[in-house]
Amino acid sequence: MRYAPPKGTYDILPSAPGRDAVQNSALWQWLEASFREICRQYGYAEIRTPIFESHDLIHRSVGEGTDIVAKETFDFVTKGNDALTLRPEGTAGVMRAYVSNRLYTERPVSKLYYIGPNFRYERPQKGRYRQHHQAGAELLGASGPEADAEVIALACGFYARLGLTDLKVKLNTVGTPESRVEYVKALRAWAEPLLPQMSGENNRRFAQNALRMLDSKEPQDIALLVTAPSLSDYLDEASQAHFTAVKSYLTTMGLPYDEDPRLVRGFDYYTHTVFEIQSGVLGDKALGGGGRYNGLIEAVGGPATPGIGFGLGLERVLLALEETGVAFPKTSGLAAFLCPLGEAARVACVSLLARLRSEGVACDMDYTGRRMKVMLEQADQNQARFAVILGDDELAQGVATVRDMLTKAQETVPLENLSKALV
Ligand code: HAM
């Protein structure tokens, strides 16, 4: 019996020549370390929440009429009859944790970040998986536009730090739920006579979540949407002022953006600012996105608290870096790979290895007992700086032959000086 990874999933493996970036664990470590570092600089602390949450939390927070809940959640019932859902995104669980742990009693503003897998039952393709990973951040307790600008700056700063340039920030506001009710009425009245000309998907959205019609990628819908009423005409003054201030902060920070009045995003929890970050090399697949969700904490049982955040797709970052030909950092390998020639040398290498490791030297040894050539190949595969060759002659003299794997130069080094020679 042969098993393959489940559809839409993949394994992340040690680096090897020709391996896709998305499957290279060293690159994941680099991405994650970069995100942790920028979050630390911006004053965000890590939060880790379960990968499954109650069915109701996820379904209600994301929204029953959204594509994610309608088509993509992995829902299951436990042996104990609990209805659970694998998290399709990070925000709902973080809000639940914020409320369960009463984090709002600890400080007025909470800045949280997370990195982890999410699960959506999607049609798999390049850049779209059933298990994908996001790096996300949530800023809770601040309603002012400077919080919106900070969160967008953090996302952009992360990409810039990795060397990804040529990105577009698409920006819109979806106002308050109250102003949206009026807008959705107008939108539905406009759409109803046009339904026969619209795609099947937009007919479904008309019935379930009319606002999402604006986000259609179907050419027939896009052509019709030109005449749709505009959300911005329905915004109250405070929402408009908030949006104007967010834009002016972004300009002050030197962060360019494109206003996109049709950007509505796929979650019911958004209020006011929404944004998406795109890279030309990924087509219409967003690198990341986020927005404000001022009613969400209250909706999951906490005190009324404003919030804003984002989630960045990590597979997509790696794909974009690969597509744009950005150089990945060199992964650091071992300082030394020990190559014993013969049984006595093997025994000596076991204790030498232990001694070098206790002295802080990153090293490994051959366990195959094969030819010198094979041992040196292993040294290369492990990106070892030096091969340490030990045979009967060396043993008798208390020395080792140290071979520089780059220059191929060899020198004889007394065993007691070995760790000094391996730098
Ligand atoms: P989202 O736009 O659904 O937002 O996901 C964020 C990012 O995750 C996307 O832009 C994309 O890069 C990546 N992503 C989503 N689905 C997949 C998939 N199937 N395969 C590969 N990558 C994917 C959220 O999830 C919100 N929770 C963001 C947020 C946080 N809003 C406020 N706070």
Side-chain angles (χ1 to χ4, degrees), residues 13-232:
L13 306 165
S15 330
R19 176 150 293 149
D20 286 347
V22 157
Q23 287 198 272
N24 184 336
S25 61
L27 295 179
W28 282 89
Q29 290 183 357
W30 166 62
L31 275 192
E32 290 166 5
S34 307
F35 190 67
R36 288 178 196 288
E37 179 52 19
I38 194 164
C39 285
R40 192 187 63 77
Q41 285 179 350
Y42 276 65
Y44 287 68
E46 186 179 10
I47 181 164
R48 301 189 192 195
T49 65
I51 60 164
F52 49 82
E53 293 279 352
S54 91
H55 169 282
D56 287 359
L57 170 78
I58 301 287
H59 282 242
R60 289 196 194 136
S61 310
V62 171
E64 289 291 352
T66 60
D67 291 357
I68 293 179
V69 161
K71 301 190 260 182
E72 297 169 7
T73 49
F74 284 87
D75 301 318
F76 61 103
V77 177
T78 65
K79 292 185 173 65
N81 256 342
D82 291 324
L84 301 176
T85 296
L86 292 186
R87 65 179 184 208
E89 56 105 47
T91 311
V94 170
M95 296 312 116
R96 199 269 312 135
Y98 178 76
V99 175
S100 304
N101 297 285
R102 296 165 49 85
L103 294 187
Y104 46 86
T105 60
E106 293 180 4
R107 53 185 80 203
V109 172
S110 291
K111 295 167 115 185
L112 306 167
Y113 81 84
Y114 49 91
I115 303 174
N118 302 287
F119 306 86
R120 298 183 188 180
Y121 190 78
E122 302 213 64
R123 202 159 51 77
Q125 50 180 277
K126 196 170 188 191
R128 182 160 293 136
Y129 308 91
R130 289 189 176 169
Q131 172 171 329
H132 74 276
H133 297 76
Q134 285 184 28
E138 313 289 351
L139 199 176
L140 311 176
S143 59
E146 55 285 348
D148 306 43
E150 170 178 298
V151 161
I152 297 171
L154 173 55
C156 294
F158 172 59
Y159 295 126
R161 178 175 290 236
L162 301 174
L164 254 193
T165 48
D166 208 13
L167 303 182
K168 271 210 169 90
V169 177
K170 288 172 61 179
L171 190 68
N172 193 20
T173 174
V174 292
T176 58
E178 298 74 38
S179 58
R180 218 152 49 227
V181 169
E182 285 309 304
Y183 173 67
V184 168
K185 269 192 211 152
L187 184 66
R188 289 175 61 94
W190 164 83
E192 196 155 16
L194 300 171
L195 286 177
Q197 292 156 256
M198 286 189 191
S199 67
E201 182 57 23
N202 259 12
N203 273 268
R204 186 187 75 78
R205 288 176 172 175
F206 176 81
Q208 292 190 353
N209 193 345
L211 197 61
R212 292 283 300 155
M213 293 193 299
L214 298 181
D215 195 42
S216 173
K217 306 282 184 288
E218 300 296 328
Q220 75 217 76
D221 298 332
I222 293 173
L224 291 170
L225 282 164
V226 176
T227 62
S230 166
L231 180 53
S232 58

Side-chain angles (χ1 to χ4, degrees), residues 264-287:
V264 286
R265 305 219 353 105
F267 300 87
D268 280 357
Y269 52 59
Y270 287 125
T271 56
H272 301 287
T273 314
V274 288
F275 61 95
E276 232 163 58
I277 298 162
Q278 299 194 327
S279 151
V281 295
L282 291 180
D284 65 358
K285 290 192 193 76
L287 266 180

Side-chain angles (χ1 to χ4, degrees), residues 307-352:
I308 178 159
F310 63 70
L312 314 179
L314 294 179
E315 287 83 359
R316 293 190 185 173
V317 176
L318 288 172
L319 288 172
L321 288 165
E322 210 168 32
E323 289 285 324
T324 35
V326 173
F328 289 115
K330 275 243 162 301
T331 50
S332 58
L334 295 175
F337 191 80
L338 312 193
C339 308
L341 295 165
E343 217 22 61
R346 174 166 308 281
V347 173
C349 275
V350 172
S351 34
L352 185 58

Side-chain angles (χ1 to χ4, degrees), residues 371-392:
R371 287 175 298 133
M372 190 61 179
K373 183 167 174 280
V374 179
M375 292 198 276
L376 290 179
E377 274 166 14
Q378 291 180 83
D380 270 335
Q381 282 164 355
N382 287 296
Q383 292 168 288
R385 179 83 183 81
F386 299 100
V388 175
I389 301 160
L390 211 67
D392 290 340

Side-chain angles (χ1 to χ4, degrees), residues 389-409:
I389 301 160
L390 211 67
D392 290 340
D393 290 350
E394 281 93 350
L395 260 189
Q397 294 168 39
V399 298
T401 301
V402 174
R403 176 185 173 92
D404 186 317
M405 294 301 291
L406 289 177
T407 64
K408 317 280 186 243

